[in-house]
């Protein structure tokens, strides 16, 4: 019997705002490649926003509207990066006796 392979969490949400998943299969398929490209773009955008945020937040006279906009963009990018990390973490093989995630109280 084949071992169950976890679904891949995709780097976008459905129209209803719910997570999207890809059934395991050919890792070179169209949707898989699109997800890889989207993840790479999200990570690069996060880095760009972070660099811009450093400039805005280091200036003590930055207008409130600019600081607020920066916070909104940082929040969006953080959500994207956390989704990428979760997706990639789900695809890592579990090793016996190694830490695999946060412990439940």
């Amino acid at each position: 019997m084949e071992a169950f392979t976890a679904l891949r969490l995709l780097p976008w949400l459905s129209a209803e705002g719910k997570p999207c998943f890809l059934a395991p299969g050919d890792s070179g398929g169209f949707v898989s490649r699109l997800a890889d490209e989207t993840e790479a773009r999200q990570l690069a955008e996060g880095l760009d926003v972070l660099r811009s945020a450093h400039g805005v937040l280091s200036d003590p006279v930055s207008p409130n509207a600019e600081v607020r906009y920066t916070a909104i963009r940082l929040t969006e990018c953080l959500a994207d990066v956390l989704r990428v990390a979760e997706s990639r973490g789900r695809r890592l093989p579990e090793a016996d006796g190694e830490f695999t995630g946060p412990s439940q109280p």
Side-chain angles (χ1 to χ4, degrees):
M1 179 173 267
E2 249 181 71
F4 174 75
T5 305
L7 298 174
R8 176 179 180 175
L9 177 64
L10 295 173
W12 53 77
L13 299 174
S14 71
E16 297 82 29
K18 296 182 180 183
C20 295
F21 295 90
L22 177 64
D26 180 18
S27 62
F30 175 77
V31 176
S32 183
R33 287 191 318 272
L34 179 61
D36 291 342
E37 292 166 6
T38 301
E39 286 179 353
R41 189 175 61 251
Q42 288 172 328
L43 294 174
E45 182 179 1
L47 185 57
D48 289 344
V49 170
L50 180 61
R51 287 178 178 148
S52 175
H54 279 295
V56 170
L57 299 176
S58 66
D59 182 356
V61 295
S62 289
N64 287 342
E66 193 170 346
V67 172
R68 185 174 191 289
Y69 176 77
T70 298
I72 290 168
R73 291 294 294 133
L74 286 169
T75 302
E76 292 168 351
C77 290
L78 178 59
D80 289 343
V81 169
L82 290 173
R83 177 174 295 282
V84 170
E86 181 182 354
S87 176
R88 292 180 180 184
R90 286 174 176 238
R91 291 181 274 150
L92 291 174
E94 289 188 27
D96 291 336
E98 288 189 19
F99 178 76
T100 58
S103 60
Q104 299 297 321

